[in-house]
Amino acid sequence: MEVTATNSERPSSLALPLRVWPTEDPILDSLPSLVRRINEQKGHFRNVTEQSVDDEIRDANADAETHGSKTREEDDDEDDVEPVEDEEDASVRKEALRAAKEEILKQIGTAYIETYYALDFVSLLLSKETPRQAELSMSQHLKQHVPLGSLGAEKTQPASRRTESIKEKESVLMGWRIEGLNAAANRLLKSAKRLAREMDQETHYWEQILDIDRQGWALCRLPREKHTLGVRFGFLEAAADYRERGLAALRRGDNGNVVLDQGLFNAKPKALRVRMEDASGNVISTSTVPRNARPDAPVEELILQARNSIYEEELYHELSREARTLTNQGVRTTESAIVLALPDQRRVVVDMVPLDATGHTAITSSVGPEGAEGSKEVSAVAEGIGLALRLLLSHAHRQNHRRRAQLPPPMTDRKRPIPPYSMIRPILTQLFHRAAVDALRPWLHSLCRLMHRAGLPAQVTLVAAASLSSTAPPAPFPSSEADADADAGKTKTTTKRSTTTGRTAPETVIDALSASVETIVHLALPARTHVRLRLRTLVAPPAPGTEYIVTTTTTTTTTTHEDQPPRSPNSPSALSIQPNKGHHPPARMRFDSPPELKRYLLHLSTLALVHEIAHAPPPPRPLMPTMPPPTHAGSLPSTSWIQGSVFNELIQDYPGTARTKRLQVTVAEDGLEVRWGWMNGRAGSSHQHQQHQQHQQRRVAWNVPVNDGGREDGDDGGAPVTTRTFRQVVEEAGRYSS
């Protein structure tokens, strides 16, 4: 562009270039820009032919020649004119020129901006139809802020201004308004109903929550869901795995009821089952498994069932831990059960079973009418074992709480091991003790029955020394009134200490269950002999099992041993019969096996009978030695029996005859036997000598079996005769003629 300035006084022209310094525009030199410019100037390429290109070249050359001649003529004319300017006109002209330049640049800028806006508008309008081509002519600012195709155009016909169309539009408008108002009203009604239903469900939900809180369940917020209410039904003193499972969410169901959500631990509830099996593996009794809760049961019942289920699972887990340490006591674990072997060939099987909808109390083995009482007793044992295991776990939780409330031990780098709870050990202690008492009771009754058949006094009494109401140890058998008073004082003092320890009654009961079990047996034998048998069972190291402590007292016995008397009837006498010696301290013996105990009790029974014979009332005074021997049987009375060199042997001398009779008493498991016969003597004649030899060789026996009547045997075995008492037999054996 060139601007020509003309002076009024002197014509002159001034050509000033107003273009800016050209800059290289990469867009203008790009191929798409060149194609677009060619299309704008020359049209589409489909219209270009060889002839049109030749004509255009010729026209361009002709125009160039014509323009060149005109330019040369004008240059010649300008050279002929001499410019004459004044200095003032030059300055004014410069200022005008500067102002004109600024105005022109301003107008050019405005036109450029308007053109730029128009180009963007058209490009945006065309972007809906041809987005790819329209994007090429858009500015970067428009591309960044306005999406393509957001502006469109279409051809419309001008609406007629008729009255009918206006009324129709108004009717349509009114219909749309009415329809919108009806839709809004319907939405408001639905919202109101939904809000009322939500209010009812929320009210019902919070009423159930209040019922749960009134029943004592702990409510809290879930740790990971702050806006969700939960209930804690587990035990804080349980193991870590089971303590975390004791928390569940209380969510609201579709009908407003509380839904107990245990998350990943929402498994099928289980319960602990205890079964008693005989030696053949038949189930003779089983504990009761609780019923499974109904799906529509109250939430309180579901919470209680979840609490019981997690408690049972923890109980079985702790039992499995302890069972691994009691393999030496006959406890073994399988894949799904814990088996406890009992001394009487029975077994206790503990396992986990799912809750049955109808309960589970089936017994595989049949029991006849005669065994109904025994079946009830065995079933009660199974139920008692299950109840005792649950109580022991609760006691362990309480001990954990008591330990946690105390001062902690000193800190150490080593991790303190957590020993298993003692729950199977007390059960084994009770069962082993029960088996020991059941095995000893019929034997003692048979011994007393044997004494009764022989006409001798005997009595047995069993007393449970381990009382559940007191943990004080049983008092020993008193040896005198002073000792009894001292023992009573000790018992009172012990009870007072136990009441001042601050332990509750349930803890006292569990402590008694966990301690050793004791039973006292009082056995009264002839000759005022009292046997106090103390059975103590404890399944704990170093010597688990049942210990038998025997204490004997009699009015005319003295102890010939100091520490350990013999445990066999064939050994020297444990008690030596000493008449008129008064009352002496009791003798104590300890045994570890029932056979040794039975042999010792039979030994004591034999000594008691020997004592009874030796201290019987004296018979009539015998004949003087100077008197002649009797001429017929039964004319010579007997004298007193005295103990011989053997513990079960008594001898009797007959003055004036130089003869001695020996009596042997034996108490065995199969019966009571009394044997007597002559030991020595001198014959006055051949007849008398022959008769003496016959008497010396003869042995007379009297036997009382445990179940049959008395039998008197001679050299040929004899035959059953009328039953006689023990005193009658001894009196008959003491006669000279017998």
Side-chain angles (χ1 to χ4, degrees):
M1 181 181 293
E2 295 182 356
V3 179
T4 303
T6 305
N7 191 5
S8 60
E9 297 178 355
R10 183 179 179 180
S12 62
S13 61
L14 178 62
L16 297 176
L18 299 179
R19 297 177 181 177
V20 296
W21 188 262
T23 59
E24 296 181 358
D25 190 357
I27 298 178
L28 296 177
D29 297 337
S30 61
L31 181 60
S33 179
L34 292 175
V35 172
R36 180 174 57 82
R37 289 160 58 190
I38 292 173
N39 291 335
E40 292 175 356
Q41 294 179 6
K42 305 297 182 181
H44 202 270
F45 284 99
R46 71 170 67 93
N47 299 326
V48 178
T49 61
E50 184 178 359
Q51 183 64 31
S52 62
V53 174
D54 293 339
D55 295 341
E56 186 178 356
I57 293 174
R58 284 195 301 269
D59 294 340
N61 292 333
D63 292 341
E65 292 177 357
T66 304
H67 181 69
S69 61
K70 290 182 179 181
T71 303
R72 287 192 297 272
E73 291 177 358
E74 290 178 359
D75 292 340
D76 294 340
D77 294 340
E78 290 178 359
D79 293 339
D80 295 339
V81 179
E82 296 181 0
V84 179
E85 296 179 357
D86 297 337
E87 295 181 0
E88 295 180 0
D89 296 338
S91 61
V92 173
R93 202 163 43 250
K94 290 180 180 179
E95 291 294 335
L97 183 60
R98 188 181 298 109
K101 182 179 179 180
E102 292 177 359
E103 184 66 23
I104 291 172
L105 293 176
K106 182 177 180 181
Q107 294 296 332
I108 291 173
T110 303
Y112 177 77
I113 293 175
E114 293 294 338
T115 305
Y116 195 82
Y117 286 165
L119 179 61
D120 285 346
F121 175 77
V122 175
S123 300
L124 182 61
L125 185 62
L126 295 176
S127 64
K128 186 175 182 182
E129 303 297 337
T130 56
R132 184 64 61 185
Q133 295 180 2
E135 186 180 4
L136 298 176
S137 59
M138 284 186 182
S139 62
Q140 294 294 332
H141 181 78
L142 183 63
K143 292 179 182 179
Q144 295 177 358
H145 294 82
V146 180
L148 297 177
S150 60
L151 183 63
E154 62 181 4
K155 294 180 180 181
T156 58
Q157 295 294 335
S160 60
R161 297 292 182 179
R162 292 181 300 176
T163 306
E164 295 179 358
S165 62
I166 295 175
K167 291 181 178 180
E168 184 180 357
K169 291 180 179 180
E170 290 180 354
S171 300
V172 172
L173 179 61
M174 184 63 66
W176 278 107
R177 288 180 179 176
I178 293 174
E179 186 177 355
L181 291 175
N182 292 334
N186 293 334
R187 286 194 295 269
L188 289 176
L189 291 177
K190 291 181 180 179
S191 300
K193 293 180 181 179
R194 182 176 58 83
L195 182 60
R197 186 171 60 254
E198 289 288 335
M199 291 176 59
D200 295 341
Q201 294 178 359
E202 196 73 14
T203 302
H204 184 58
Y205 171 78
W206 285 107
E207 286 178 354
Q208 293 184 354
I209 293 296
L210 291 177
D211 293 340
I212 295 173
D213 182 68
R214 292 190 191 100
Q215 292 186 4
W217 297 103
L219 302 178
C220 61
R221 293 189 300 178
L222 295 182
R224 299 181 181 179
E225 300 180 25
K226 299 298 183 181
H227 300 286
T228 304
L229 191 64
V231 58
R232 184 175 295 279
F233 54 83
F235 300 88
L236 296 178
E237 305 303 333
D241 298 339
Y242 298 93
R243 183 170 59 249
E244 295 176 357
R245 294 176 54 184
L247 181 63
L250 297 176
R251 306 189 187 277
R252 196 188 71 181
D254 297 335
N255 53 357
N257 293 328
V258 178
V259 178
L260 185 66
D261 184 11
Q262 296 181 256
L264 299 177
F265 307 109
N266 194 11
K268 192 173 182 180
K270 297 181 180 180
L272 188 75
R273 181 179 62 179
V274 180
R275 292 176 295 170
M276 296 283 293
E277 297 181 355
D278 56 10
S280 301
N282 299 324
V283 179
I284 57 179
S285 70
T286 179
S287 61
T288 305
V289 177
R291 298 175 180 268
N292 193 6
R294 305 185 311 274
D296 56 345
V299 65
E300 296 86 354
E301 185 177 348
L302 297 178
I303 295 174
L304 182 61
Q305 178 176 281
R307 193 276 305 271
N308 295 340
S309 178
I310 193 175
Y311 187 82
E312 302 281 295
E313 292 180 11
E314 182 189 3
L315 175 59
Y316 186 77
H317 171 71
E318 296 297 338
L319 290 177
S320 301
R321 290 184 57 200
E322 186 184 6
R324 299 186 186 98
T325 63
L326 296 177
T327 54
N328 59 340
Q329 299 299 327
V331 180
R332 59 185 180 90
T333 58
T334 61
E335 185 177 356
S336 60
I338 302 173
V339 182
L340 283 67
L342 302 182
D344 53 358
Q345 304 301 322
R346 293 186 301 175
R347 297 183 303 174
V348 178
V349 182
V350 182
D351 58 352
M352 292 291 293
V353 293
L355 297 184
D356 191 1
T358 59
H360 184 83
T361 57
I363 300 176
T364 57
S365 62
S366 60
V367 180
E370 67 279 357
E373 296 297 332
S375 176
K376 292 180 181 179
E377 183 179 359
V378 173
S379 179
V381 170
E383 291 287 349
I385 291 174
L387 179 60
L389 291 175
R390 295 175 178 91
L391 290 177
L392 289 171
L393 179 59
S394 178
H395 179 67
H397 287 172
R398 178 165 293 191
Q399 294 298 325
N400 292 341
H401 176 72
R402 187 185 299 273
R403 192 181 304 107
R404 189 163 54 89
Q406 297 176 356
L407 293 176
M411 298 181 63
T412 178
D413 296 336
R414 298 181 179 178
K415 185 178 180 181
R416 293 184 176 87
I418 302 177
Y421 300 147
S422 179
M423 293 183 291
I424 300 180
R425 199 182 301 272
I427 299 299
L428 289 178
T429 301
Q430 297 288 337
L431 294 177
F432 287 179
H433 186 78
R434 181 187 180 94
V437 173
D438 292 343
L440 186 61
R441 183 189 291 111
W443 189 87
L444 293 176
H445 285 297
S446 65
L447 179 61
C448 293
R449 187 167 56 252
L450 176 64
M451 295 296 176
H452 293 163
R453 288 186 177 183
L456 298 172
Q459 185 181 3
V460 60
T461 305
L462 277 74
V463 180
S467 176
L468 294 180
S469 60
S470 175
T471 58
F477 192 79
S479 58
S480 62
E481 296 183 359
D483 296 338
D485 297 339
D487 293 343
K490 292 180 181 179
T491 305
K492 294 179 180 179
T493 305
T494 305
T495 306
K496 184 176 181 180
R497 286 198 303 266
S498 63
T499 56
T500 56
T501 55
R503 305 183 67 83
T504 60
E507 291 179 344
T508 305
V509 173
I510 299 301
D511 291 340
L513 180 63
S514 303
S516 60
V517 187
E518 296 182 357
T519 298
I520 304 299
V521 179
H522 295 282
L523 178 62
L525 296 176
R528 298 182 182 181
T529 300
H530 299 277
V531 179
R532 182 176 183 269
L533 175 60
R534 180 179 177 183
L535 285 76
R536 182 171 60 185
T537 305
L538 180 62
V539 181
T546 302
E547 182 183 22
Y548 305 90
I549 303 176
V550 181
T551 304
T552 58
T553 57
T554 182
T555 56
T556 57
T557 59
T558 180
T559 303
T560 58
H561 57 278
E562 295 180 359
D563 297 331
Q564 295 293 334
R567 300 186 181 184
S568 175
N570 299 325
S571 60
S573 175
L575 297 178
S576 179
I577 306 300
Q578 299 292 339
N580 303 326
K581 294 296 183 179
H583 191 81
H584 293 275
R588 294 175 61 88
M589 291 287 293
R590 296 179 183 270
F591 302 94
D592 296 330
S593 63
E596 294 180 354
L597 173 67
K598 293 178 182 179
R599 287 196 296 268
Y600 183 70
L601 292 179
L602 294 175
H603 178 74
L604 290 179
S605 301
T606 303
L607 292 179
L609 295 182
V610 172
H611 182 276
E612 179 76 10
I613 297 173
H615 293 78
R621 185 170 181 175
L623 296 174
M624 297 300 295
T626 56
M627 297 179 62
T631 59
H632 59 277
S635 60
L636 187 64
S638 62
T639 59
S640 299
W641 294 93
I642 60 174
Q643 187 177 5
S645 59
V646 183
F647 75 97
N648 65 336
E649 182 180 280
L650 295 99
I651 59 177
Q652 187 180 38
D653 296 331
Y654 292 87
T657 62
R659 303 187 63 185
T660 304
K661 183 177 288 187
R662 180 174 62 184
L663 178 69
Q664 289 183 350
V665 180
T666 303
V667 180
E669 294 188 5
D670 55 350
L672 171 62
E673 184 182 45
V674 179
R675 289 182 176 272
W676 66 91
W678 295 102
M679 295 178 59
N680 54 12
R682 291 181 300 173
S685 62
S686 61
H687 175 73
Q688 293 178 352
H689 180 70
Q690 183 180 2
Q691 184 179 7
H692 167 69
Q693 290 180 351
Q694 293 178 357
H695 286 178
Q696 187 176 7
Q697 295 175 358
R698 184 185 180 188
R699 294 291 184 268
V700 181
W702 180 79
N703 186 9
V704 179
V706 176
N707 297 321
D708 298 331
R711 179 184 298 272
E712 185 174 358
D713 300 332
D715 295 338
D716 55 353
V721 296
T722 305
T723 303
R724 293 172 295 173
T725 63
F726 178 78
R727 291 186 177 88
Q728 293 175 353
V729 172
V730 172
E731 182 179 357
E732 180 182 356
R735 295 175 184 174
Y736 182 82
S737 60
S738 60

